[in-house]
Amino acid sequence: MVNASGVFNRFSCCYCHFVARTARVSPAILRLIARSAWHAWTLEDLQTGLASEGVNADFSSIFRAAEKLTAGGEVRKVVLDDGRARFELAGTHHDYLHCTACGELIAVPCVIEREACSALEGKIGIAIAEHRVVLSGLCPTCRAAKVA
């Protein structure tokens, strides 16, 4: 948009401001997730992590950037029974263990072999594009604490 002085101002409308914020936040989210050992990031985790790296972003910008990265296939979104979305880098397939004590989401090797999916497809005439299994239980840390 052009302001009263006839100068183009790329932040003069809400849409332009939204595009600029999302464009800045998306790569920062990818860098944050890629550099960390943390596996599944909630939006709140992302906001805290970005702030610790000096990236100031409001919650709605983080939400939009995470959704954009999900739609682009760079990030995988996992929504658990608690309704909270977690985000991780897209990559090789794995399933999950959701710790019922601390809430951590842990990647575990896939528990359903491709042959089982193929057999199911042939048996009932479906085509499986992907699957996601979320196991509930205790992570190693919580399990050790409970035993001690």
Side-chain angles (χ1 to χ4, degrees), residues 83-98:
R84 296 181 70 204
R86 275 94 169 160
F87 299 89
E88 64 182 2
L89 286 180
T92 59
H93 176 76
H94 54 263
D95 292 322
Y96 306 91
L97 171 90
H98 182 223

Side-chain angles (χ1 to χ4, degrees), residues 34-86:
R35 284 195 309 253
S36 175
W38 185 250
H39 178 68
W41 296 74
T42 64
L43 292 170
E44 293 84 3
D45 294 334
L46 290 171
Q47 188 170 37
T48 301
L50 290 172
S52 73
E53 295 193 352
V55 177
N56 254 347
D58 60 51
F59 193 78
S60 61
S61 295
I62 293 168
F63 170 79
R64 287 189 297 266
E67 291 295 326
K68 176 184 169 193
L69 291 168
T70 300
E74 297 164 286
V75 168
R76 181 180 297 126
K77 179 179 178 178
V78 181
V79 180
L80 301 180
D81 289 341
D82 63 4
R84 296 181 70 204
R86 275 94 169 160

